[in-house]
Amino acid sequence: MGDREWSSPPTEDEESEMPLFMDVHEVGGALGVDDVVAAHNKDLEIQDKYGVSYKQAWVDHVNGKIFCLAEGPDAATVSRVHEEGHGMVADAIHEVSEYS
């Protein structure tokens, strides 16, 4: 991996109380910015109800993919926010760790 140095994985004391999840939506085709923003805003409106915090979203407009980073109790709960918020559930959800 070249010369890049990675920091050590966080210790239990350094980890947040909730795990992080990266989900992937395979929408297909070109995506409009307004539709993605509207869906993300719906997640933000109801996330507190489930103890979830959506941190950021990324879009691959050309290939029709959306990536969402969320903190939550588990993958099912993170998915529930999408389902209730706008109905666009993720095709895959991965628990991830943040390194800097």
Side-chain angles (χ1 to χ4, degrees), residues 24-39:
V24 183
H25 301 264
E26 302 270 350
V27 179
L31 293 170
V33 173
D34 293 340
D35 293 332
V36 174
V37 169

Side-chain angles (χ1 to χ4, degrees), residues 39-51:
H40 182 67
N41 285 337
K42 288 179 181 178
D43 290 332
L44 297 178
E45 288 173 14
I46 67 165
Q47 67 183 5
D48 291 342
K49 176 179 175 182
Y50 293 99

Side-chain angles (χ1 to χ4, degrees), residues 18 46-53 71-73 77-78 81:
M18 297 271 203
I46 67 165
Q47 67 183 5
D48 291 342
K49 176 179 175 182
Y50 293 99
V52 171
S53 176
E71 186 178 64
T77 305
V78 169
V81 173

Side-chain angles (χ1 to χ4, degrees), residues 60-82:
D60 176 344
H61 292 284
V62 175
N63 296 304
K65 294 183 181 184
I66 303 169
F67 306 87
C68 303
L69 181 66
E71 186 178 64
D74 53 57
T77 305
V78 169
S79 181
R80 193 171 299 123
V81 173
H82 279 329

Side-chain angles (χ1 to χ4, degrees), residues 21-24 74-76 78-80 82 90-95:
F21 297 93
M22 177 71 71
D23 68 29
V24 183
D74 53 57
V78 169
S79 181
R80 193 171 299 123
H82 279 329
D91 294 288
I93 301 176
H94 307 276
E95 186 170 347

